[in-house]
Amino acid sequence: MNNQHKLKFVLACALLGAPIAGWSAQLFEAESAQYNFGMQFENTTDVGGGQNAGWIDAGDFLNFSVNAPTAGVYQVNYRVASPNANAVLVIGEGGTDLSDNLTVPNTGGWQNWTTVSNNIYLSAGAHTLTLYAVTGGWNVNWISLEEPTVTPPPSGSLPMIRTQGKHWVANGEPVRLRGLNLGNWLQMEFWMMSGAIRNDNGAIDDQCTLEATLDSRFGYAERERLLDIFRNNWMTDRDWDNIANLGFNVVRLPFPHNLIEDENNPYTLRSDAWEFIDKAIAKAAERGMYTILDLHGAAGSQGWEHHSGCTNRNWYWDGGNGQPASYYQDRTHWLWDMIAQRYNGNSNVAAYGLLNEPWGTDAVTLGNNLAALYNTVRAKDAEHVIIMHGHTSGISSFPQPGNDVAYEMHFYPGFWGWREGDNASDVHADWLFCSAPSGSSTCEWDAQINARQAPFLVGEFQPWTLLGKDAGEITRKTFDVYNALGWAATAWAYKTTSPTAHSGSSDGNWPWGLFTNTSGYGSINMSTASLGAIENWFAQFATQSIAGHGDVDYWLHYLPTAGAGTIEAEHFHEHSGANIEATTDPVGGDFNASYLDTGDWMVYRVNVPTSGNYQLQYRLASPAGGVVNASVHNGRNFGDTTVPATGGWQNWQTVDGPTVYLDAGMQDLSLYVAQGGWNINWWRLVAK
């Protein structure tokens, strides 16, 4: 079944209450379906007798009404027979596949029966399931559902993340967490679809407005069914693979409170409360990535902005709708109590982000509120890192309530008053390397974090959309600098889309999503569109053509290699005192390392494919000369090389250095500024 095959009817099917002997299951006979499209029935010789459905062609289907006693993953068993190879079926609901395609084996005949199985997730309550023939040439006698054993998620396949001073650690070793935000998936932000969703009042800009529009037309249950179609199609295996293939090891997962809490029955879990968060954690972990849980929209909204779920609300701090602020805050304590119980011990979860951008109050009130939420979580979960999001004024007034606390800020150089209008590459470089004419810098924040001896998360930042040809290098450099400081970093965001589509060329004006669509789509009016049109519109995201930023992809995978090209000087792994700037070197390169004073140093992680002798060469510029020294980091010294006076900071010359022996493998190699006053564009190791 796919989204072209919508359910066209509601039917009742007898639920045969007697379980099959030895199974904790409910049995549904094929002939008991009250609606059947395309199939015929015949007497069966299978155990138990009765009839089976046969004469099945592609596109035929049966519907079954199922009452799931609990939410969970159900095993579906299918009693099938076929003389053909590679017949295929799928089971779904509401136009969305609940399972992958399942192959019906060649059983040797139309009445030679076997049982095949797969798993589906069902929320508690009534469902109408469709058994759909992707291809024909098979018979079915019955299907059965085995009730799940309700247990918490597994403990996780990844090592538990803890804190050690200012570091994020796993198994006692520092972990460089870098990744992306999954914006607009569970917490929708409509600018990320370029305003393509509207109602009769204009463009929809927050999730509350969309929910209210759908509620007024279809009711709550149908609204949630429709949103589930979107949730199942915005993020698919293709998207998870895209993120993992960029080398990321963490995702930040924004979610609203009403994904977990029944908004119509506060302090009550939804029947499907954990479906999508469990799915996200599992999909990420399968690809070696951690998940940071980020409460983006608390009950009542923790700010006035659209991304808290409801624009201009702020009831979390001010009260509203006849309730005091304490009511919404108490519901958030309850929510985090539920989350902590659910994921206690699950090492695939890196951390809990208590509140995203909770800026509807003053810094002292915010800090105390987050400390109280910390205590609620810690009462049920002794291990997970708990993240306290800073105020717009910083974290200086925040308490440190206990163990495994981290702090979070969002840094957006070039946006919202941060040197807007200046050269974007300069703005980013000045922020990263502490050379801005005014304002904060990474050095200032590093001092604060060192003083607190607690880990830090840059939960949101945007290093590519204004950068043009420099986007790839600035993105890589930003992750590298943050990680070198010990900070975790998750850029905003994985994907954005637009009805007009993008060319896919990274030379153009790239949007806020690291991936974006390259095929267009129409806008939709949720006040007038038919149910089928809304289903199709939400479902399109699974199959639309998308492309990633090619330059960012290149630089995220960039690995300096001995004997193969140049080692870009600005891509040091660690440093002291170095900066970067745009270069005008005629032989190429976007940036050079600069402002190098005596005593500064830079460390490069270099792949040495083959043991042997390599000659050092440097691409240098200097008005007065200097000295560069090369070595294995904290190890063998390769000696000094004189930097000539080339006539200026951007007058470049290639200079030969010593020939050195290197063992095969990954090597940390250092360039030390023995005498300052020079720039370096690149250096290389030429095999001898």
Side-chain angles (χ1 to χ4, degrees):
M1 187 183 68
N2 57 36
N3 291 304
Q4 284 71 45
H5 302 280
K6 299 291 184 279
L7 300 181
K8 302 175 183 177
F9 41 76
V10 177
L11 59 90
C13 169
L15 175 61
L16 305 185
I20 301 172
W23 289 357
S24 176
Q26 297 293 339
L27 181 69
F28 303 85
E29 295 284 358
E31 67 269 26
S32 296
Q34 294 184 355
Y35 190 96
N36 153 44
F37 181 85
M39 301 186 191
Q40 300 180 46
F41 298 99
E42 63 182 351
N43 292 331
T44 183
T45 60
D46 193 12
V47 174
Q51 292 187 311
N52 63 260
W55 291 275
I56 298 173
D57 297 316
D60 293 350
F61 56 85
L62 297 172
N63 272 24
F64 300 90
S65 288
V66 174
N67 186 29
T70 59
V73 177
Y74 286 74
Q75 179 174 303
V76 186
N77 305 304
Y78 311 83
R79 190 66 169 172
V80 293
S82 176
N84 304 306
N86 301 318
V88 177
L89 62 85
V90 70
I91 197 162
E93 181 178 26
T96 299
D97 295 347
L98 298 180
S99 71
D100 294 330
N101 287 351
L102 181 65
T103 299
V104 176
N106 183 339
T107 65
W110 295 109
Q111 292 294 321
N112 294 342
W113 295 93
T114 191
T115 303
V116 294
S117 305
N118 59 12
N119 294 324
I120 62 173
Y121 180 93
L122 294 177
S123 59
H127 296 268
T128 301
L129 303 183
T130 295
L131 176 63
Y132 179 79
V134 179
T135 64
W138 50 281
N139 291 347
V140 58
N141 188 10
W142 47 256
I143 68 170
S144 70
L145 269 69
E146 297 192 21
E147 294 181 17
T149 302
V150 181
T151 59
S155 59
S157 57
L158 304 174
M160 180 69 81
I161 297 288
R162 301 297 298 272
T163 69
Q164 190 175 92
K166 73 170 199 173
H167 296 288
W168 306 80
V169 299
N171 294 327
E173 296 296 325
V175 178
R176 292 175 171 240
L177 293 173
R178 59 172 64 188
L180 298 173
N181 280 271
L182 303 184
N184 196 52
W185 180 28
L186 305 181
Q187 176 87 53
M188 298 176 75
E189 297 193 25
F190 297 86
W191 66 270
M192 298 180 72
M193 296 177 284
S194 300
I197 301 180
R198 57 183 294 111
N199 61 17
D200 283 345
N201 296 320
I204 291 175
D205 70 346
D206 66 16
Q207 189 152 332
C208 286
T209 302
L210 174 64
E211 291 172 350
T213 302
L214 295 176
D215 284 351
S216 68
R217 294 191 64 197
F218 307 116
Y220 170 80
E222 188 68 358
R223 174 249 281 186
E224 282 302 303
R225 185 187 71 82
L226 290 170
L227 290 182
D228 278 356
I229 295 174
F230 174 80
R231 293 163 184 150
N232 280 315
N233 287 282
W234 181 262
M235 285 293 295
T236 66
D237 282 341
R238 171 184 69 171
D239 300 290
W240 291 104
D241 290 341
N242 285 339
I243 299 170
N245 289 340
L246 289 171
F248 291 124
N249 61 2
V250 67
V251 293
R252 182 171 177 259
L253 181 66
F255 66 92
H257 76 99
N258 63 343
L259 188 75
I260 298 172
E261 182 186 29
D262 184 343
E263 64 195 78
N264 299 311
N265 297 285
Y267 300 99
T268 304
L269 289 173
R270 288 174 46 147
S271 59
D272 60 350
W274 309 114
E275 176 183 357
F276 288 100
I277 295 180
D278 280 0
K279 177 181 179 180
I281 294 168
K283 292 291 186 182
E286 287 170 7
R287 294 159 175 83
M289 298 186 293
Y290 289 95
T291 300
I292 296 172
L293 300 183
D294 161 46
L295 179 55
H296 223 69
S301 297
Q302 71 279 13
W304 294 280
E305 297 85 357
H306 65 89
H307 50 68
S308 64
C310 306
T311 304
N312 296 322
R313 183 161 285 187
N314 204 43
W315 295 349
Y316 185 92
W317 300 112
D318 296 339
N321 199 33
Q323 297 288 350
S326 58
Y327 168 73
Y328 300 105
Q329 293 173 19
D330 190 62
R331 283 170 62 186
T332 304
H333 279 271
W334 171 86
L335 183 75
W336 275 113
D337 184 283
M338 296 296 103
I339 294 170
Q341 291 186 58
R342 177 72 175 178
Y343 298 112
N344 179 27
N346 189 332
S347 61
N348 295 334
V349 175
Y352 302 139
L354 297 175
L355 287 173
N356 175 71
E357 297 187 356
W359 298 334
T361 189
D362 63 89
V364 173
T365 301
L366 172 58
N368 291 335
N369 180 273
L370 294 175
L373 286 170
Y374 168 93
N375 290 329
T376 292
V377 173
R378 197 53 84 218
K380 299 296 172 62
D381 186 331
E383 291 187 297
H384 272 114
V385 178
I386 299 173
I387 300 170
M388 300 173 67
H389 196 303
H391 193 260
T392 53
S393 61
I395 60 174
S396 59
S397 61
F398 277 29
Q400 289 182 270
N403 66 288
D404 291 277
V405 175
Y407 298 93
E408 176 180 359
M409 291 294 289
H410 298 167
F411 299 129
Y412 283 109
F415 294 96
W416 300 301
W418 189 332
R419 295 178 61 188
E420 288 181 274
D422 287 359
N423 179 276
S425 297
D426 290 343
V427 174
H428 281 264
D430 288 347
W431 153 254
L432 293 173
F433 296 102
C434 311
S435 56
S438 62
S440 66
S441 67
T442 57
C443 294
E444 176 187 317
W445 277 97
D446 186 43
Q448 289 192 57
I449 296 304
N450 281 330
R452 285 183 173 262
Q453 283 298 294
F456 194 46
L457 166 68
V458 185
E460 295 180 20
F461 60 100
Q462 173 43 256
W464 59 76
T465 193
L466 297 180
L467 277 297
K469 68 179 180 60
D470 297 337
E473 287 206 76
I474 290 293
T475 298
R476 170 65 183 270
K477 197 73 245 171
T478 303
F479 278 113
D480 285 352
V481 169
Y482 290 166
N483 283 169
L485 293 169
W487 304 352
T490 50
W492 191 279
Y494 161 61
K495 180 169 68 174
T496 57
T497 67
S498 170
T500 58
H502 193 275
S503 67
S505 169
S506 57
D507 295 332
N509 183 23
W510 198 268
W512 275 61
L514 194 50
F515 282 76
T516 193
N517 61 305
T518 55
S519 57
Y521 59 93
S523 60
I524 188 167
N525 186 334
M526 292 294 177
S527 295
T528 58
S530 68
L531 198 62
I534 296 172
E535 291 171 344
N536 285 330
W537 201 90
F538 281 155
Q540 70 181 315
F541 295 104
T543 56
Q544 69 178 189
S545 299
I546 61 173
H549 195 301
D551 194 45
V552 172
D553 187 316
Y554 171 82
W555 283 105
L556 287 176
H557 288 98
Y558 172 72
L559 177 63
T561 300
T566 60
I567 299 168
E568 295 296 328
E570 68 273 18
H571 280 280
F572 36 80
H573 180 65
E574 298 177 34
H575 80 102
S576 175
N579 205 323
I580 69 171
E581 65 182 2
T583 185
T584 60
D585 188 350
V587 303
D590 294 329
F591 295 93
N592 59 258
S594 59
Y595 300 97
L596 299 173
D597 299 318
T598 300
D600 292 346
W601 51 265
M602 299 164 286
V603 180
Y604 300 84
R605 185 151 291 169
V606 178
N607 175 41
V608 181
T610 305
S611 297
N613 291 314
Y614 296 85
Q615 183 178 19
L616 285 157
Q617 290 183 339
Y618 306 98
R619 186 69 172 173
L620 301 165
S622 175
V627 178
V628 57
N629 177 276
S631 68
V632 174
H633 187 49
N634 294 325
R636 182 162 49 99
N637 194 296
F638 299 140
D640 293 344
T641 299
T642 298
V643 178
T646 64
W649 295 108
Q650 291 294 321
N651 294 340
W652 296 93
Q653 184 174 327
T654 303
V655 178
D656 289 340
T659 296
V660 301
Y661 181 85
L662 295 174
D663 292 324
M666 295 300 296
Q667 304 269 4
D668 281 349
L669 304 180
S670 294
L671 299 186
Y672 177 74
V673 183
Q675 180 183 326
W678 46 273
N679 291 343
I680 179 169
N681 186 11
W682 47 255
W683 58 289
R684 60 190 172 199
L685 292 158
V686 180
K688 291 294 185 178

